[in-house]
Amino acid sequence: MKKNIKFIWAICMHCNRAAVVIKIILYFLSSILTAGNIVVLQKLIDSIVFGIEHHVVQKGIFWGILFVVIELAASNMQHFNRLANLSLMRSMNQFLPKIMIDKYQKIAFPDFEGEENQKIFKRVNAKPGEKILAILDLAGEMLSDIVSAAALCIVFAVVDIFIPLFFIVVLIIVIKLNFLGSKLMSELFFEQTNDERKMDYFRDLFMDRHSLAELSFFGAVSYIRKKWKLYADIVLKERLSLTVKSQKYFAASCSILTVWVAFVAFILIMKLSNGGITIGAFISMTNSSISVLAIGDRIAQNFLELARKSQEIIYL
């Protein structure tokens, strides 16, 4: 996977270096805005409380405007990312065909019609530019989530050093559990077993009028139907078994995240009751402890999807 990602990086940088740099900046900004939003929300709530007590509104207006600006900037990140993608795709559409033609020219004529080579040509021609962009975006999202997690650790450390330490432990466990669960679900949807191939074969016999006519002529319809049902039942049991097993991993992940939220809530309530934090810090930290639950899930799923998609461009 590492070799494939380096190859994709080289292609993207060769095609449109400026668009790639812009995408990296956007992913970094997105992760920083995630942490910045927590701090600004805290300041906004504290300034509102202070303004109500002291009849002052200037600070509240400032932090309110800043909060809106951050929200608008975060919501427009995807728009700018799409513009960078369009520019990069335009460049790749000009560059990739040249690579493919050069490779085709190196293939000996007698081997050109070989079955294995034809399979490779089919994979290569299946929208390689879109696949490369998808892989680049997955890598960018993973980078953004990792930076977001690091930034959140710094924000949490301001309140209590034990929160980021516990957060790191929880995040690692959740990523591991979600990765195992997502891997099973990926195998369920993307990998075809022997039994599935047999099931599809018997089903296809009923879908083709020529083969159906032959089966009717030889009186084999009932026999083939029984074979199809046999393998369909086997496949259903396999899928149910994998689904239940994967859901156990996700359930364990949810349980750990529940413990994480309870731990953060306990620390924050203790700090708030002792005057160690403001009401703004309590609300923003509580809100962020819930919103960061998706980070571990995204990192695990994106890593698995990155590994799978990186294999699709191996023949470029």
Side-chain angles (χ1 to χ4, degrees):
M1 185 179 76
K2 186 177 178 181
K3 183 180 178 182
N4 293 339
I5 292 174
K6 282 184 177 180
F7 175 64
I8 291 167
W9 174 259
I11 287 178
C12 292
M13 291 298 285
H14 178 84
C15 290
N16 195 328
R17 187 182 297 268
V20 176
V21 172
I22 289 171
K23 283 175 69 66
I24 293 171
I25 292 172
L26 289 173
Y27 281 121
F28 267 107
L29 282 176
S30 178
S31 58
I32 297 301
L33 287 175
T34 301
N37 191 47
I38 297 171
V39 176
V40 172
L41 179 61
Q42 174 195 337
K43 297 291 184 181
L44 174 60
I45 294 170
D46 287 339
S47 63
I48 291 172
V49 173
F50 181 83
I52 292 172
E53 292 175 349
H54 298 84
H55 305 288
V56 179
V57 297
Q58 287 86 350
K59 286 185 177 181
I61 292 172
F62 170 77
W63 290 112
I65 292 172
L66 187 57
F67 181 78
V68 171
V69 169
I70 288 176
E71 286 293 319
L72 287 173
S75 64
N76 281 294
M77 286 295 169
Q78 286 297 323
H79 171 68
F80 292 118
N81 193 36
R82 282 194 292 269
L83 291 177
N85 278 349
L86 286 173
S87 177
L88 186 54
M89 178 62 80
R90 192 181 302 115
S91 301
M92 283 196 292
N93 285 339
Q94 296 172 351
F95 176 70
L96 288 177
K98 296 177 183 176
I99 295 179
M100 293 160 66
I101 290 170
D102 288 342
K103 290 205 170 187
Y104 288 165
Q105 289 176 338
K106 294 176 182 177
I107 298 173
F109 183 76
D111 299 329
F112 200 82
E113 292 297 329
E115 183 181 351
E116 190 59 33
N117 280 333
Q118 285 300 313
K119 288 180 181 178
I120 293 173
F121 299 153
K122 186 178 180 180
R123 293 191 192 105
V124 168
N125 287 317
K127 300 179 180 178
E130 291 184 11
K131 290 179 179 178
I132 289 173
L133 268 183
I135 293 168
L136 189 64
D137 281 330
L138 283 171
E141 287 170 13
M142 280 187 63
L143 176 66
S144 178
D145 284 333
I146 292 169
V147 174
S148 293
L152 287 170
C153 282
I154 295 172
V155 174
F156 288 144
V158 175
V159 176
D160 194 292
I161 190 63
F162 289 107
I163 295 179
L165 293 176
F166 190 59
F167 173 66
I168 292 169
V169 174
V170 166
L171 190 63
I172 291 171
I173 296 172
V174 166
I175 288 173
K176 178 67 175 177
L177 290 171
N178 284 339
F179 176 78
L180 293 172
S182 298
K183 187 178 180 183
L184 285 174
M185 294 303 292
S186 179
E187 290 173 359
L188 181 65
F189 288 106
F190 294 108
E191 293 186 12
Q192 193 179 44
T193 63
N194 258 342
D195 292 327
E196 284 180 281
R197 277 190 286 272
K198 289 175 182 177
M199 180 190 72
D200 290 341
Y201 169 73
F202 289 122
R203 182 198 59 195
D204 291 342
L205 289 176
F206 289 111
M207 301 298 290
D208 183 78
R209 61 189 180 91
H210 298 294
S211 60
L212 187 58
E214 289 181 11
L215 292 174
S216 299
F217 179 78
F218 290 105
V221 173
S222 178
Y223 172 77
I224 296 298
R225 186 189 294 117
K226 287 179 183 177
K227 296 292 286 185
W228 172 80
K229 189 177 184 307
L230 171 66
Y231 287 109
D233 289 340
I234 292 172
V235 169
L236 178 61
K237 288 178 182 177
E238 286 177 351
R239 291 187 174 182
L240 284 175
S241 175
L242 280 174
T243 302
V244 170
K245 192 174 180 180
S246 68
Q247 291 307 311
K248 288 180 180 178
Y249 288 118
F250 292 131
S253 173
C254 289
S255 300
I256 291 170
L257 291 174
T258 302
V259 173
W260 151 254
V261 173
F263 173 78
V264 173
F266 174 76
I267 294 291
L268 292 176
I269 290 170
M270 293 296 293
K271 289 281 184 179
L272 183 64
S273 61
N274 295 331
I277 59 172
T278 62
I279 186 67
F282 177 80
I283 294 173
S284 63
M285 291 293 175
T286 303
N287 182 58
S288 64
S289 70
I290 298 170
S291 63
V292 300
L293 302 183
I295 289 180
D297 185 46
R298 284 201 307 267
I299 291 175
Q301 290 188 358
N302 285 342
F303 180 80
L304 191 65
E305 190 71 6
L306 187 66
R308 188 178 67 83
K309 284 186 176 295
S310 65
Q311 294 301 313
E312 294 180 5
I313 52 86
I314 195 169
Y315 297 107
L316 272 178

